[in-house]
Amino acid sequence: MTTSSFEFTDKNQQVEVTSANKSLTFSIVKPEIIQVFQDYGKSTHSYAVEGDKTVDTKYAVSKDADHVIIKTDALTVKVDADLHVDVYDQDNHPLVIHYDGQRESINQNIDSAHKKIVRSEGHEVAAVDEASKTYYEVLNQLDDDEQFYGLGDKTGFLNKRGYEYDNWNVDEPRPHIETFTHLYKSIPILFGIKQGHPYGLFFDNTYRSHFDLGKESAKYYVYSADDGNLNYYILGGRTLKDVVADYTYLTGVVPLPQRWMLGYQQSRWGYSMDPKRVEEIVDKFEQYHLPLEAIHFDIDYMKGYRVFTWDTDKFADPKGFLTSLRKRGVRVIPILDPGVKQDDDYDIYQEGLKKGYFAKNKDGSVYINRVWPGKSAFPDFGNPDVRKWWGKHCKFLLDKGAAGIWTDMNEPATFDGDMPDDVVMTDEDQPSTAKMMHNVYGHNMAKATYNGIKDATGKRPYVITRAAYAGTQKYSTAWTGDNQSLWHHLQMSIPQLCNLGLSGFSYAGTDIGGFSADTTPELLTRWIEAALFSPLFRNHSALQVRNQEPWVFGKQVLDIYRKFLNLRYRFIPYLYDCFKNETETGLPVMRPLVLNYPDDETVRNMNDEYMVGDNILVAPIVQQGQTARAVYLPEGEWIALDSGVQYSGRTNILANVPIDKLPVFIKKDTLMPWGQAVEHISDKPDTKMTFRLFGNAATYTHYQDDGIDFNYQKGEYNQYVVSVTADGNCQIKLDHHGYAGQYQTIDVQLNDRVVEFKFDDKSDSYVAAK
Ligand code: MIG
């Protein structure tokens, strides 16, 4: 290689490094974020990063014989004449170092005849030799201690090291196991900890892509893509939290949900075949005093699975029916699939056809595949006009009283074979194909739905999506698709939700009890316990599997289930505060211990515990038959919620966990809001709030607004700072008073007494009752 052509230009935080007629562009977004771009002539529109994120940043560029060196306060990037990239942190610790050796193929000695035999016995063999064919790849050194997190909804364990993954959204009905390389979502954010130092790599490319995180070799890890530009962001920072925050800085945070969205939701495929069944379910919730916010309506409420229709043979008066449920405190969330039935007598199909809103074959005809309605066309959601059209039609459901929309099958799933890569779709204002648009199909559907709901109602929209891309968290909560009633899937729910949280999806959940297969009393009980703090809190099951409502297994399960639903409601104000913090810090609500304790090596592979914010640690039972478990407590002092017993951390304790117990530990010196155990979350403000002290002294900032609309953005919210000092002095400061629904009474529960505060109108403050 001649080094004479190795040079750089530097303009407005963009450094272009050129060598032998190739160039890489480094855009300095902020000190901790540098974008790396190589032009392959493909679309540069980002679905994940909306708007310009660049902030004025101090940086320096220099060149020595071997490297161009870009330096910010947080990162040093060194580029050599082969355009290989090395990254160091502010203290010169290596974060991302190019691997100079050759890839070592695993399958190199297996010839195709041999592969054929292996396949004919039913084993899977890679069709192409990974090491032999990629469009481009990023190949980096792997250290012995390197750990990986993130990547969205991938199966398996918290730490992704040693596995390979694909980014290609699929509908996967088989039981999800850790050898699966991809599920419904493509979130190409990789967090690494190398020699104790955190970094992130976000590959913003919607084409099919691949990670090998040390499967092929323990010496390197690889990212490769089938197409698209080389486009990735290097994320740095002092802590893993900083790096996760970089990612949500780029792709956005989950917007503040409505308060009721944090409550309990019941679903089952089949409920909405019959309004009587729905009523029966609501009756039972009332009869057994179980809290309930919403019932989800699966595909059966529609007329022959036609989207934006309601089967009036089944529901004579959908609006009246939904209104009657709403009066009982229960909302309805109907489902929408993307497939629009090919039916000349169906207005949505006709309209879409006339306006050219469906994906097309290469020859210009409408692309048709079979889904629930039969032969169907697929809206071209990458086209902003199509999104507006879809959003506008959501009004049909909202006018009937729907409180949100569940978007399913948006990978998109198809029954008659996969949608070919060359199906013609739109990339905003440019023609494109499914090859590029597939992985953002669900993203764009969720975005269309979010905006449709927002325009029609002015409330914070509730969308639940199955397929997603990086950034979808701005528009939708997500569930993890068709899990099964298997202990293994209960176990997996923890790392899966934790990695989704790190990947921006702070608001996510799994089908509690399991979707497919038959749950058992014990599994259902342990599931409602383990999912206690799952942001999305929904029990859902498939047609034909054993019923799994809280009461079907008799009194013991019902009583335990109710106890945990009530406990969940106690934590809703805390969860709501966590969401408020999430909108400001970009950090997830439900999170792996490694996020809070990145220097504690014990927690780097912790799959069966999780934290909620910074102060709650949860260690559920996720094994059949188990009634005791080791609980690892990280540094500090911890107080068991149940018993009040205090433990010192950095060690394992043995917890006895009979079937009706969930080990929850509160970090010592925490004040925590303690909500009411209501059966339905009211639209009216709570008149009273309680704060509980765990430990001796603490300060806590609590947020309150109407929990419904966007007026908080205009200042209509309250902020309370509650503090207790070690000598028992207790204070409440109303830091911001913009919402007229302030609490009238606030109780602070200390260890030995309760201090009651009353709101005093005249002084606009809280005064301790004598
Ligand atoms: O092909 O609408 O993941 O939650 O109940 C199945 C029926 C389609 C898959 C979803 C599931 C939903 C089901 N759907």
Side-chain angles (χ1 to χ4, degrees), residues 171-173 184 267-270 297-300 302 305 335 337 371-372 406-409 411 413 415 466 479-483 511 515 538 540-543:
D171 172 17
E172 181 53 87
Y184 309 87
S267 182
R268 180 174 169 89
W269 184 3
F297 276 26
D298 212 314
I299 48 180
D300 316 291
M302 292 182 256
Y305 306 123
I335 199 170
D337 290 353
V371 268
W372 286 106
W406 170 18
T407 62
D408 187 20
M409 304 286 280
E411 294 72 30
F415 294 170
R466 192 170 72 176
W479 95 106
T480 56
D482 297 345
N483 64 356
D511 287 349
F515 175 72
R538 182 183 77 158
H540 178 52
S541 56
L543 278 180

Side-chain angles (χ1 to χ4, degrees), residues 658-727:
I659 187 73
D660 61 341
K661 291 263 191 276
L662 171 72
V664 175
F665 297 86
I666 315 285
K667 207 187 220 170
K668 189 189 170 188
D669 291 338
T670 293
L671 260 167
M672 174 160 303
W674 195 250
Q676 323 259 344
V678 294
E679 284 176 27
H680 308 284
I681 290 170
S682 170
D683 280 350
K684 297 202 191 83
D686 287 337
T687 54
K688 186 180 166 175
M689 181 53 70
T690 298
F691 291 87
R692 284 181 66 177
L693 177 68
F694 295 85
N696 303 325
T699 300
Y700 183 82
T701 303
H702 172 64
Y703 174 83
Q704 181 201 27
D705 62 17
D706 72 357
I708 298 169
D709 57 30
F710 288 92
N711 289 339
Y712 71 97
Q713 292 175 346
K714 295 181 250 158
E716 287 185 25
Y717 66 90
N718 298 331
Q719 186 166 289
Y720 305 79
V721 181
V722 185
S723 58
V724 179
T725 57
D727 56 14

Side-chain angles (χ1 to χ4, degrees), residues 37 41-47 207 228-229 231 427 430 432 436:
F37 180 81
K42 299 298 161 101
S43 168
T44 55
H45 178 76
S46 173
Y47 286 89
Y207 289 91
N229 301 312
N231 182 29
D427 166 25
Q430 300 290 317
S432 186
M436 178 193 164

